[in-house]
Amino acid sequence: MLIRVDPGSSVPLGDQIAAQVRRAVADGAVAPGERLPSARALADSLGVNLHTVLRGYQQLRDEGVIELRRGRGAVVLGGEAAAGRARLAEKVRSLVAEGRRLGLSDEEIVGLVQGGLTP
């Protein structure tokens, strides 16, 4: 899996890393059980701080897309659930970004989402 970052982007580097891994999981380019590059190796190859990669990996862990195992690194969780969560997280991030581009506050975006959940 090839990960690239754009230092000139307004999107934080850790978020860019998480987004690319999330997309690869959602698309099936990364298989369940597959190990991601170690945070140190990825940081070195991208020329970013180790903590930047760890922030991206922690986002993915919190979303249920990967598991961080001490001594074994980051492993993609199995099943359709992980891929589905990855796809959903991408859509949510896109929705939030679009709302912010339109000048909506976070509360307004949450209100829209909650309003869309009621019949």
Side-chain angles (χ1 to χ4, degrees):
M1 176 176 63
L2 181 63
I3 297 176
R4 294 186 180 167
V5 294
D6 178 6
S9 171
S10 63
V11 177
L13 297 175
D15 292 350
Q16 290 181 45
I17 293 167
Q20 289 187 38
V21 172
R22 195 180 299 112
R23 203 167 296 119
V25 170
D27 294 344
V30 179
E34 190 171 332
R35 288 175 54 181
L36 298 178
S38 74
R40 187 173 310 283
L42 186 55
D44 288 345
S45 71
L46 295 175
V48 300
N49 187 290
L50 170 66
H51 297 286
T52 299
V53 175
L54 289 173
R55 271 193 298 278
Y57 279 6
Q58 287 166 351
Q59 278 182 26
L60 296 166
R61 180 204 57 208
D62 294 346
E63 294 170 5
V65 176
I66 66 169
E67 180 180 31
L68 294 175
R69 299 178 184 168
R70 186 169 292 282
R72 290 202 50 214
V75 179
V76 176
L77 291 176
E80 179 57 31
R85 289 179 68 90
R87 284 190 300 272
L88 182 60
E90 273 298 304
K91 290 177 182 179
V92 168
R93 289 183 188 286
S94 176
L95 172 79
V96 169
E98 180 65 20
R100 288 182 177 155
R101 271 193 298 278
L102 294 171
L104 298 175
S105 70
D106 289 350
E107 293 79 20
E108 290 172 313
I109 295 169
V110 168
L112 286 171
V113 170
Q114 289 175 335
L117 296 176
T118 56

